[in-house]
Amino acid sequence: MSEITLGIIGGGQLGSMLAIAAKKLNVKTVVFCDDIDAPAQNFCNKFVTGSYNNKEKISEFINQVDLVTYEFENIPFETLNEINKFKPVLPKPSVNRLIQHRLAEKDFVNKLNIRTTRYVSIEKKSDIDALEDFLPGILKTTTLGYDGKGQYPIKSGEDLNSLNIDFSKGYILEKLVKLKKEISIIITRFSNNKYEIYEPIENTHEDQILKYSKIPAEINEKIFNQSKDWAMLIAEELKYVGTLCVEFFIDRNDNLYVNEIAPRVHNSGHLTINAFNVSQFENHVRAVCGLEQIPLKKISNAKMMNLLGNQITHYRNMQKFNDNEFFFDYLKKDIKEKRKMGHITTLV
């Protein structure tokens, strides 16, 4: 019987699913979130709400937990670093600081001799004028931004004139590859060279938001092995503890590129809940809490569909699902367009 109390920063669907996985392992959870309506409060043992720089609330949170993890990366480094002085934070705050910054992240990956798309730092509009060979490309803020936020596709220099871009922020311009498909690798690192790694997951995005994921991915053996090897190399170099996602592009010539690293459990790994004996969420809790590592076994092939905005209503009204269908309602109060409201996994 575990006596561990795990603190989770962030109260969205990933925090909810971490809390559900922890409960299965008899690990208590306390969620700290700046959103008073955060859905994870429906699944955790205790819920603390306050801004991420509210020292009083942070102290209240710290005093109730043995260690801390987080469900998203856009938490101030200063907050994680301060908490780490009193209770262990896993993954380490230094990992989060690196991956919060797209330029630093890409430099880190390239130093491991791992391919990324071509990229360049952009500080002012005129920088792009001299970079015609980087177009078409995508301009991204170096910090913050997800699900397409803070990202601007640019086909030519003229596109810049129609976009209202605040160049007081830092940006990175990435050259677009001739994309064949996108995959992700979910890996849980327990300690030095101790991993559980899921097979590559094939992903389909719409409006830069993940819509569908499936296993097995329709890829060749070289990409299957290379994506796993690169994910292990990244996790080992970071001395990572917990579940990590590496997102990849595959171009039309079957070249593999690292797109982004997510230092947390990931949307594309939702299907692991039903398709494997141990989900990405349970593995994360096991790793950060120092619990037993269980060898992964695939139960079934699977596909997952994100339910955005009003799409959730149809599924909430359904009386019955097939035996191979698993519906997850994130219990978010407000339905908003393009907001992830739930998902459905089908075993195939």
Side-chain angles (χ1 to χ4, degrees), residues 235-298:
E236 192 63 31
E237 187 68 22
L238 290 171
K239 293 184 168 51
Y240 196 87
V241 177
T243 296
L244 170 85
C245 176
V246 184
E247 298 175 58
F248 296 91
F249 291 146
I250 302 169
D251 72 12
R252 291 176 195 170
N253 296 318
D254 275 341
N255 293 309
L256 189 67
Y257 304 81
V258 167
N259 175 32
E260 288 184 348
I261 304 166
R264 53 175 171 80
V265 289
H266 192 261
N267 190 177
S268 65
H270 289 346
L271 52 73
T272 65
I273 297 171
N274 307 105
F276 289 85
N277 62 326
V278 183
S279 74
Q280 63 162 345
F281 301 99
E282 182 180 332
N283 260 332
H284 184 77
V285 175
R286 285 182 178 278
V288 299
C289 293
L291 302 178
E292 181 188 4
Q293 179 180 348
I294 294 174
L296 265 187
K297 291 188 184 113
K298 185 161 86 166

Side-chain angles (χ1 to χ4, degrees), residues 13-40:
Q13 62 267 23
L14 299 177
S16 298
M17 287 183 254
L18 284 170
I20 292 166
K23 190 173 185 179
K24 178 183 169 186
L25 299 169
N26 295 312
V27 171
K28 291 180 179 171
T29 52
V30 180
V31 167
F32 175 43
C33 187
D34 63 357
D35 177 6
I36 198 166
D37 292 325

Side-chain angles (χ1 to χ4, degrees), residues 15-217:
S16 298
M17 287 183 254
L18 284 170
I20 292 166
K23 190 173 185 179
K24 178 183 169 186
L25 299 169
N26 295 312
V27 171
K28 291 180 179 171
T29 52
V30 180
V31 167
F32 175 43
C33 187
D34 63 357
D35 177 6
I36 198 166
D37 292 325
Q41 64 190 288
N42 297 299
F43 304 98
C44 62
N45 295 91
K46 290 185 179 174
F47 181 68
V48 178
T49 184
S51 70
Y52 293 131
N53 55 12
N54 183 324
K55 291 187 177 176
E56 195 177 306
K57 288 293 182 180
I58 290 169
S59 180
E60 180 188 335
F61 172 63
I62 290 171
N63 290 333
Q64 296 183 67
V65 303
D66 298 309
L67 72 157
V68 173
T69 191
Y70 41 91
E71 65 137 25
F72 73 112
E73 53 268 49
N74 290 336
I75 304 159
F77 168 73
E78 294 72 23
T79 299
L80 294 180
N81 205 37
E82 189 61 28
I83 292 171
N84 197 43
K85 292 174 185 174
F86 301 95
K87 298 288 168 71
V89 175
L90 294 169
K92 297 176 297 182
S94 58
V95 169
N96 206 41
R97 178 170 58 177
L98 171 72
I99 291 169
Q100 275 182 344
H101 197 282
R102 286 192 169 99
L103 204 57
E105 175 191 32
K106 286 265 195 302
D107 288 347
F108 163 77
V109 172
N110 280 173
K111 280 174 186 166
L112 296 176
N113 291 319
I114 293 174
R115 189 187 300 114
T116 65
T117 55
R118 290 177 64 208
Y119 63 95
V120 64
S121 174
I122 299 293
E123 293 178 1
K124 54 189 184 296
K125 182 174 178 287
S126 59
D127 289 348
I128 298 175
D129 296 337
L131 295 167
E132 281 293 322
D133 60 330
F134 275 82
L135 302 179
I138 187 156
L139 187 69
K140 300 178 180 179
T141 53
T142 50
T143 57
L144 305 176
Y146 61 93
D147 286 347
K149 297 177 177 72
Q151 301 187 19
Y152 307 92
I154 296 174
K155 290 179 182 172
S156 68
E158 292 168 11
D159 287 353
L160 275 178
N161 300 325
S162 60
L163 295 169
N164 187 21
I165 297 173
D166 175 10
F167 278 96
S168 65
K169 298 175 184 174
Y171 287 87
I172 180 172
L173 179 63
E174 298 175 8
K175 184 171 177 62
L176 288 178
V177 298
K178 290 180 177 173
L179 191 64
K180 181 178 178 181
K181 63 181 59 182
E182 299 178 55
I183 61 170
S184 57
I185 290 283
I186 307 282
I187 179 171
T188 304
R189 182 179 180 273
F190 285 76
S191 59
N192 289 358
N193 294 309
K194 288 196 173 176
Y195 307 97
E196 294 302 328
I197 182 162
Y198 298 87
E199 69 176 76
I201 300 163
E202 184 171 333
N203 303 309
T204 304
H205 290 76
E206 292 179 3
D207 296 326
Q208 294 171 292
I209 301 172
L210 181 65
K211 186 61 184 172
Y212 304 101
S213 294
K214 70 173 185 176
I215 54 171

